[in-house]
Amino acid sequence: MPIQPDNPEPAHHDVDSMLSRKFGKEVANYFSGSPLNRLGFLRADHNFLSQAIKHASTSFLLCNELQPLVQPNAKPGKGKLQYVKYDDVKPIIGDDPFELSEEDLIQSYDSTKYIPQVIFLGIDEKAKGALSYQGKNLYTGAPYFAVDVTPREHVKAECEKLIQRLKSEHGYDFGKGRVMDIDPSDAAIYAEARQLLDWNARNPYCAACGHKTFSVNAGFKRTCPPTDKAAAAAAEGGSHDRPPCVTRTGISNLCFPRTDPTVIMAVVSSDGTKILLGRQKRWPPYWYSTLAGFAEPAESIEEAVRREVYEEAGILVGRVVIHSTQPWPYPANLMIGAIGQAIPTGETIDLGNDPELDDAKWFSFDEVREALRVGTSGLGEDAGPGYKEGGLRLPPSTAIANQLMMAVANGFASGESKM
């Protein structure tokens, strides 16, 4: 099988817990397990951010068209992000984008000025020689930021210059496609950066009034400013007040990052011997996975699992339990992994409700175990050397679908270990 990155360790996995004794070890999926403390309560503290962005221990993750800067010539499954320092990004972001408070920045807002997107990702509390900041408590760690260096607007030349220098002097380049081949800690940091950079880029206008919005809270919120200096200039010295906007009243006065809850489920037969898997037409031959779909408004996770399985495969699901979750930054999903069991009178597959699947089948646990052993790979990759043509193929270990199938085949539903 193609070599895949390791999955992260769950938090505090070595600490005894009554929950672990009852429900088993927590499962952490790829793109989770960030080593950073996000310190969300300091995102509006411009004094902290101002110190953090210029500190010697600070690392900057550069993204070009949402692709991260990576180290060259990495071994399969061992890729690493490449971080840069303040002096590298200073010509792009300016001396200090957090010099002023959010209130002052909003008051001086000018919609004609392009501001390169900077995201505060958190601090690595294990780093040495790190920043110490006295807020309500003392916070110590090496800060991490993400910076959009996509060449555009007035920083186009500086972005191109930096990108070219990093390539010519160090051989660094930006990732291609879905980046799924890097160290799990780096993957979690990149997932946070990508999702927030993408969300900010997709939401330049207010959904209520249509005017341009402004990124605040270190990239985690967007606001519709009440004034705009560009409007005053257009009116030749007139008022720079914007028209009233409902987002500036009440408590819903900010736009928050989008996260789409998505259910993904391993469905077990009523007798506990088979797993329901489906495939889409665009997938390679013999490649199957667990069913998945978006949760809808006013719907519980359990209800979403039952609805999606019925719509896609005609199967009626009874009991549903949550197994684990996975952030999926393409573009903004939270995969909520569940395991459900079909009811005895609802196991007949019917693809006539929803044309999404090309096929769905019940596979025995033994078939799934063998495929997990020799037949896992990404969609664009070949199966491993032990795979025999015509056998079942499954997603790689970096996909939550793989972890759900592994759990079921390993006795999660029955409590009897089979592997």
Side-chain angles (χ1 to χ4, degrees):
M1 293 181 292
I3 298 175
Q4 300 292 333
D6 294 330
N7 281 321
E9 284 284 357
H12 311 298
H13 61 92
D14 54 344
V15 177
D16 183 46
S17 163
M18 65 179 184
L19 293 178
S20 295
R21 292 195 297 271
K22 182 174 179 61
F23 299 107
K25 180 182 176 181
E26 180 181 327
V27 175
N29 289 292
Y30 197 68
F31 288 129
S32 69
S34 175
L36 305 183
N37 183 341
R38 296 193 181 194
L39 298 180
F41 45 84
L42 291 181
R43 291 175 188 146
D45 186 339
H46 75 101
N47 290 315
F48 164 73
L49 295 170
S50 181
Q51 292 182 38
I53 204 162
K54 293 178 287 187
H55 197 267
S57 68
T58 300
S59 296
F60 294 85
L61 173 60
L62 307 184
C63 288
N64 181 9
E65 299 288 358
L66 300 179
Q67 296 296 334
L69 190 68
V70 295
Q71 295 180 4
N73 305 318
K75 294 181 179 179
K78 302 294 183 182
K80 296 286 292 182
L81 297 177
Q82 178 60 49
Y83 300 95
V84 302
K85 291 299 183 180
Y86 170 71
D87 286 342
D88 295 308
V89 298
K90 180 180 175 181
I92 297 170
I93 66 174
D95 290 347
D96 185 358
F98 301 109
E99 180 180 8
L100 300 178
S101 68
E102 283 190 359
E103 292 77 10
D104 289 339
L105 288 171
I106 291 172
Q107 287 298 319
S108 61
Y109 176 68
D110 185 338
S111 61
T112 62
K113 293 184 178 179
Y114 172 73
I115 302 175
Q117 189 64 58
V118 179
I119 310 289
F120 172 61
L121 302 174
I123 63 171
D124 180 358
E125 296 173 307
K126 296 181 180 179
K128 297 180 180 179
L131 169 72
S132 289
Y133 180 75
Q134 184 64 58
K136 186 175 182 180
N137 292 300
L138 180 65
Y139 306 102
T140 302
Y144 280 68
F145 289 84
V147 178
D148 183 4
V149 294
T150 305
R152 57 166 65 98
E153 302 289 340
H154 70 279
V155 295
K156 182 175 185 290
E158 289 294 346
C159 289
E160 291 174 339
K161 180 180 177 181
L162 175 60
I163 291 169
Q164 182 57 39
R165 179 170 65 81
L166 292 171
K167 287 183 178 181
S168 61
E169 294 183 6
H170 305 285
Y172 303 148
D173 204 351
F174 292 86
K176 304 292 189 296
R178 289 184 175 178
V179 179
M180 301 281 293
D181 195 36
I182 55 177
D183 172 89
S185 294
D186 276 352
I189 293 173
Y190 170 57
E192 180 186 1
R194 188 193 192 283
Q195 190 162 337
L196 286 159
L197 289 173
D198 188 32
W199 169 74
N200 275 280
R202 288 173 184 260
N203 292 272
Y205 298 100
C206 177
C209 70
H211 285 90
K212 284 188 176 181
T213 56
F214 179 59
S215 182
V216 295
N217 208 239
F220 277 76
K221 298 177 184 177
R222 297 190 71 87
T223 187
C224 182
T227 61
D228 184 352
K229 287 188 173 181
E236 297 182 356
S239 172
H240 61 286
D241 290 341
R242 281 177 158 183
C245 178
V246 295
T247 66
R248 301 188 208 113
T249 62
I251 60 173
S252 300
N253 57 352
L254 291 164
C255 178
F256 293 88
R258 174 176 174 172
T259 296
D260 299 328
T262 306
V263 292
I264 181 167
M265 43 275 175
V267 177
V268 183
S269 60
S270 61
D271 64 1
T273 63
K274 298 181 288 292
I275 304 175
L276 177 69
L277 302 177
R279 60 170 279 106
Q280 298 181 9
K281 288 183 178 180
R282 62 185 179 87
W283 291 353
Y286 317 115
W287 209 90
Y288 283 74
S289 185
T290 53
L291 276 57
F294 291 105
E296 294 186 347
E299 183 177 54
S300 72
I301 297 303
E302 292 83 357
E303 289 172 317
V305 167
R306 296 186 185 103
R307 175 184 54 76
E308 282 289 340
V309 174
Y310 168 72
E311 289 178 355
E312 294 185 4
I315 302 298
L316 301 181
V317 174
R319 181 74 167 95
V320 175
V321 296
I322 307 301
H323 174 267
S324 61
T325 59
Q326 180 179 37
W328 189 255
Y330 298 106
N333 301 100
L334 177 62
M335 308 298 292
I336 303 170
I339 295 174
Q341 188 164 24
I343 64 174
T345 57
E347 295 185 300
T348 301
I349 294 174
D350 179 2
L351 303 181
N353 296 318
D354 187 330
E356 181 171 343
L357 294 181
D358 179 53
D359 188 27
K361 291 182 180 179
W362 289 105
F363 290 89
S364 71
F365 283 8
D366 286 340
E367 289 178 285
V368 172
R369 291 190 194 104
E370 179 64 10
L372 288 169
R373 188 178 70 85
V374 300
T376 64
S377 68
L379 282 173
E381 300 172 333
D382 294 330
Y387 173 78
K388 295 181 180 179
E389 187 67 19
L392 176 63
R393 297 184 60 184
L394 299 174
S397 59
T398 49
I400 189 174
N402 179 293
Q403 300 302 310
L404 293 172
M405 288 183 277
M406 182 74 73
V408 170
N410 197 28
F412 180 91
S414 66
E416 300 175 3
S417 178
K418 300 294 184 183
M419 298 181 71

